[in-house]
């Protein structure tokens, strides 16, 4: 009894105090000129493809299979010994992805199962040491991306379901033991991040995931309790010092932390929380924005997941996201043999076909002050505004609540001029009688 009081007292004395006492990230962070330029390029790119691939792909039940099915780590890790993606061809992946019009690829370098899909000296649990394949697939992908002019980004899990130095046990939360373990684990992560930013040429972004594992959300709706210090200042400084044009993104579902360049939204368009992951409604004005979504339901390869979204549905997601000033990161989950399922490849090609005709209204654009409307969204770029009509308005016209000095208004697909009226504080365009809004009816306004 006395002992447990002592332990409790010890834990209390060692506990991190409330959220406000942890200064996360790089206080007073101002992006360098290189980082700033990379962020603008990222915003212009608008569309990327996410790849979830790891030894979990062999089980074909998603990347959470070990955790969800409570598989013993030692037994699970033996799957590495059979990982041999005989049909993996980085060049083919990049060509298939490039055909979608995507400008960048974000691939899982190490997911929550802790398996590194690259040649790392920091662990033997990696594709070179633990599999018979012994090929650094990230290196092959990096070379193919550089050849094809596609930016490569690395997803990196902060949390780890297997390592002994990752402080998983809630019983040691806020103790010296936790901090001691985590200090070792942080060294390990920094060593791996250094490898990723040294051995693979220019990297567009490091995309973190797993922060949410250490955040407590009180059931009574009171603010989040951030009482674990991930050491973001060290991590973010390391990234910006190794490659100043490498952006920092963190899928932590909360208000951005100084030092980050991209605010990530999981399965949701910025500002909405229909997927239920966002722990804030905050949408940054300064950071670039990105929403990640799946083509079917899951991220990692799932044999039974046939919930494929259609091409028009995916295009409308892209347009809706662009109209909120954000990028779409659309996921594919390659099979264990190294091929991307045909259903995904076909959809990527379909999006690419649409972008090859309509990309001008997406790439390089920004959203306007006009919030998304019932009929759709607006994007703009130098000298032009694009009205993306996603639902035909019953009244047959679209009215913007401000004055526009329009020179010409036309249907983007055909170039057919459309009638418009400039009001004192408004601008109205007449739509044709039956506009085809099944994907996106685009109106181009030349200023
Ligand atoms: C979640 C999941 C993870 C997936 C990620 C993609 O954080 O834990 O499996 O990689 O979302 O956004």
């Amino acid at each position: 009894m006395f002992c447990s009081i002592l332990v409790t007292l010890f834990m209390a004395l060692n506990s991190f105090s409330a959220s406000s006492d942890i200064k996360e990230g790089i206080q007073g962070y101002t992006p360098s000129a290189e980082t700033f330029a990379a962020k603008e390029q990222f915003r212009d790119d608008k569309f990327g493809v996410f790849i979830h691939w790891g030894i979990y792909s062999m089980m074909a039940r998603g990347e959470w299979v070990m955790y969800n099915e409570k598989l013993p780590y030692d037994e699970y890790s033996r799957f590495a010994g059979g990982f041999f993606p005989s049909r993996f061809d980085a060049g083919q992946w990049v060509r298939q992805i490039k055909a979608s019009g995507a400008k960048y690829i974000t691939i899982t370098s190490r997911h929550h199962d802790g398996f590194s899909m690259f040649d790392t000296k920091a662990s033997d649990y990696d594709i070179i040491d633990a599999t018979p394949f012994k090929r650094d697939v990230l290196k092959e992908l990096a070379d193919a991306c550089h050849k094809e002019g596609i930016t490569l980004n690395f997803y990196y899990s902060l949390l780890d379901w297997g390592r002994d130095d990752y402080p998983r046990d809630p019983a040691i939360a806020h103790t010296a033991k936790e901090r001691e373990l985590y200090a070792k684990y942080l060294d390990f992560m920094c060593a791996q991040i250094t490898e990723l930013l040294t051995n693979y040429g220019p990297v567009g972004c490091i995309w973190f995931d797993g922060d949410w594992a250490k955040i407590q959300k009180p059931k009574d709706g009171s603010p989040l309790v951030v009482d674990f210090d991930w050491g973001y200042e060290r991590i973010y400084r390391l990234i910006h010092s190794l490659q100043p044009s490498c952006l920092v993104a963190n899928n932590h579902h909360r208000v951005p932390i100084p030092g980050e360049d991209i605010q990530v939204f999981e399965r949701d368009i910025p500002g909405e929380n229909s997927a239920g992951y966002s722990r804030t409604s905050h949408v940054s004005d300064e950071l670039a924005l990105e929403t990640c979504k799946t083509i079917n339901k899951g991220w990692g390869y799932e044999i039974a997941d046939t919930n494929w979204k259609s091409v028009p549905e995916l295009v409308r997601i892209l347009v809706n996201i662009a109209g909120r000033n954000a990028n779409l990161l659309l996921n594919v989950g390659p099979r264990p043999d190294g091929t991307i399922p045909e259903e995904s490849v076909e959809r990527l090609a379909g999006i690419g076909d649409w972008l090859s005709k309509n990309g001008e209204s997406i790439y390089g654009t920004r959203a306007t002050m006009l919030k998304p409307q019932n009929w759709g969204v607006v994007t703009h770029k130098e000298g032009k505004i694009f009205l993306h009509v996603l639902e035909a308005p019953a009244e047959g016209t679209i009215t913007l609540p401000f004055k526009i000095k329009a020179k010409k208004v036309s249907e983007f697909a055909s170039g057919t001029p459309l009638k418009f009226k400039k009001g004192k504080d408004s601008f109205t365009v007449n739509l044709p009688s039956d506009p085809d809004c099944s994907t996106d009816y685009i109106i181009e306004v030349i200023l």
Side-chain angles (χ1 to χ4, degrees):
M1 169 72 175
F2 180 62
C3 219
S4 80
I5 292 173
L6 267 187
V7 169
T8 315
L9 193 66
F10 175 80
M11 283 172 64
L13 287 175
N14 276 279
S15 61
F16 282 101
S17 38
S19 51
S20 52
D21 288 349
I22 296 180
K23 291 249 182 300
E24 294 187 290
I26 306 174
Q27 297 305 305
Y29 172 68
T30 323
S32 66
E34 285 114 311
T35 313
F36 189 82
K39 189 166 70 174
E40 288 311 298
Q41 179 62 54
F42 176 85
R43 282 181 159 140
D44 287 349
D45 287 350
K46 283 288 175 294
F47 179 38
V49 166
F50 214 171
I51 302 178
H52 275 71
W53 198 41
I55 57 170
Y56 46 77
S57 310
M58 300 172 84
M59 277 145 272
R61 294 194 295 282
E63 74 289 355
W64 274 71
V65 61
M66 176 189 145
Y67 185 94
N68 288 345
E69 298 184 16
K70 300 191 174 53
L71 308 179
Y73 177 70
D74 289 345
E75 198 56 32
Y76 171 91
S77 57
R78 286 174 182 270
F79 270 85
F83 189 63
F84 196 92
S86 57
R87 298 179 66 200
F88 172 69
D89 175 350
Q92 190 186 27
W93 275 18
V94 174
R95 285 188 296 278
Q96 287 169 334
I97 290 171
K98 213 177 159 184
S100 73
K103 303 290 183 195
Y104 59 94
I105 294 176
T106 306
I107 185 164
T108 46
S109 62
R110 178 173 150 275
H111 207 271
H112 310 330
D113 66 354
F115 185 77
S116 299
M117 291 293 281
F118 62 103
D119 183 10
T120 175
K121 302 282 168 277
S123 161
D124 287 343
Y125 192 37
D126 72 335
I127 196 153
I128 299 293
D129 298 310
T131 78
F133 197 54
K134 299 201 182 304
R135 274 163 56 188
D136 185 342
V137 292
L138 294 200
K139 180 78 178 90
E140 292 180 27
L141 188 62
D143 292 345
C145 283
H146 297 144
K147 195 166 144 220
E148 294 280 344
I150 287 235
T151 302
L152 183 63
N153 302 335
F154 294 130
Y155 167 109
Y156 190 85
S157 176
L158 293 159
L159 93 98
D160 190 296
W161 290 329
R163 284 181 67 93
D164 293 336
D165 51 4
Y166 177 80
R168 260 180 311 279
D169 184 358
I172 63 160
H174 316 317
T175 65
K177 176 77 187 153
E178 180 186 52
R179 289 198 291 279
E180 184 195 313
L181 283 179
Y182 187 69
K184 250 184 89 196
Y185 179 73
L186 181 59
D187 285 346
F188 159 75
M189 287 203 293
C190 287
Q192 285 210 315
I193 291 166
T194 303
E195 292 176 325
L196 289 171
L197 291 172
T198 311
N199 302 336
Y200 300 88
V203 174
C205 158
I206 301 283
W207 203 102
F208 293 104
D209 190 23
D211 168 285
W212 32 260
K214 292 276 185 192
I215 304 297
Q216 296 164 43
K217 190 174 186 185
K219 292 213 168 62
D220 63 2
S222 49
L224 297 180
V225 181
V226 179
D227 54 4
F228 182 77
D229 187 352
W230 287 98
Y232 285 136
E233 174 167 16
R234 175 171 166 201
I235 300 175
Y236 293 175
R237 277 193 198 283
L238 176 69
I239 294 172
H240 288 132
S241 71
L242 288 168
Q243 289 199 23
S245 58
C246 179
L247 304 173
V248 174
N250 195 331
N251 183 33
H252 48 44
H253 308 155
R254 50 194 177 107
V255 177
I257 293 166
E260 295 171 358
D261 308 296
I262 303 169
Q263 184 180 3
V264 174
F265 300 84
E266 184 172 337
R267 294 183 185 267
D268 251 324
I269 48 184
E272 290 187 7
N273 191 16
S274 46
Y277 294 107
S278 280
R279 287 154 159 183
T280 174
S281 55
H282 177 90
V283 178
S284 173
D285 288 333
E286 284 166 28
L287 274 68
L289 310 174
E290 180 183 62
T291 290
C292 55
K293 284 253 186 196
T294 54
I295 283 196
N296 43 350
K297 200 157 173 255
W299 303 101
Y301 178 59
E302 280 186 55
I303 198 161
D305 181 359
T306 52
N307 302 284
W308 304 103
K309 297 178 183 74
S310 68
V311 172
E313 206 180 332
L314 292 165
V315 168
R316 288 163 73 88
I317 290 173
L318 172 67
V319 171
N320 259 307
I321 289 172
R324 281 147 176 101
N325 227 13
N327 289 20
L328 169 64
L329 180 61
L330 185 64
N331 183 73
V332 299
R335 300 187 180 102
D337 71 358
T339 56
I340 300 176
E342 290 68 33
E343 290 87 345
S344 291
V345 174
E346 282 159 20
R347 280 155 183 82
L348 292 179
I351 301 170
D353 184 42
W354 186 86
L355 275 169
S356 67
K357 299 176 194 123
N358 303 293
E360 197 201 334
S361 70
I362 301 289
Y363 297 123
T365 62
R366 299 289 182 270
T368 63
M369 299 137 49
L370 188 71
K371 293 216 160 62
Q373 304 287 301
N374 290 339
W375 50 263
V377 296
V378 183
T379 56
H380 86 102
K381 61 170 41 151
E382 196 65 30
K384 285 182 181 182
I385 295 182
F386 300 98
L387 312 180
H388 298 268
V389 188
L390 302 169
E391 307 296 336
E395 58 277 25
T397 57
I398 281 178
T399 299
L400 306 185
F402 41 75
K403 225 165 121 178
I404 292 186
K405 289 190 181 157
K407 276 197 201 135
K408 195 181 154 208
V409 179
S410 49
E411 185 178 277
F412 185 72
S414 64
T416 311
L418 296 175
K419 290 216 169 75
F420 61 98
K421 204 167 80 205
K422 295 180 193 170
K424 196 167 145 273
D425 296 306
S426 65
F427 179 77
T428 303
V429 183
N430 286 5
L431 269 66
S433 55
D434 196 12
D436 180 5
C437 301
S438 55
T439 302
D440 177 15
Y441 179 80
I442 307 172
I443 299 170
E444 180 183 51
V445 180
I446 311 238
L447 304 173

